[in-house]
Amino acid sequence: MKKILVLSIISLFLTMACSKKTIKPVSHESQTAQSVIETIYLLKTAYVQKDEAAMRRYTTDEGFSSNFKASATDFSSADLSFTPKWVDIKANTIQVQMSWTGKWVYHGNNIDENGVADFVVTGPPYRVDKILKDNPFTVLTAK
C-alpha cells in the first residue's frame, strides 16, 4: 500500500513538473529577421532559376538595376548556398550579412566563388535594395 502511495505521489509530481513548461512567444524582431531572410532565399532561388519576374518581385527597382546586370543570368547552371551571419534591424531598413558559396557553369567553364554579402532590405513588404561587399549575383559579370 505504501509503495502505491509513493508511486502515485511521484507520478503526480512528474506530471505537474512536465506540464508547466511555458513557451515564450517569438519576438517581433525575430519574426522580422525570419521574413527578411526568407525573402533573400526566395531571391536566390529566382536567380538560380533565371526567373527575372521573381527577382524583380524580391528587389526594389533600384535594387534590381544596380545588383543584376544584363548578363547576370548568362549561365548554364548555378548552385548557391547562403548562411546568415547577423541581422541588424533599424526602423524600415534591415541589414543581413550572409556568407555564400557558389558554383556556376558559365560558357563551358566551371566557376567556384565564395564571399560575404551585406543585403540591405527595405519594407515591409521586404525587398532587397542594395547588396554590399561580395555580391553573389554579379560574380559572372566581373568575368
Side-chain angles (χ1 to χ4, degrees), residues 42-107:
L42 290 170
L43 177 61
K44 174 195 71 135
T45 301
Y47 170 79
V48 169
Q49 295 174 351
K50 300 180 184 183
D51 185 350
E52 185 177 320
M55 290 189 304
R56 288 183 182 275
R57 190 169 42 247
Y58 301 119
T59 58
T60 61
D61 289 339
E62 172 149 342
F64 183 82
S65 63
S66 65
N67 295 308
F68 296 94
K69 308 293 186 235
S71 62
T73 57
D74 186 23
F75 52 82
S76 301
S77 66
D79 181 30
L80 281 172
S81 62
F82 288 175
T83 304
K85 295 298 182 187
W86 59 260
V87 178
D88 185 21
I89 300 172
K90 294 178 183 172
N92 289 336
T93 301
I94 300 101
Q95 191 167 350
V96 180
Q97 186 177 75
M98 290 204 174
S99 64
W100 58 268
T101 59
K103 296 180 181 186
W104 292 265
V105 176
Y106 180 66
H107 296 292

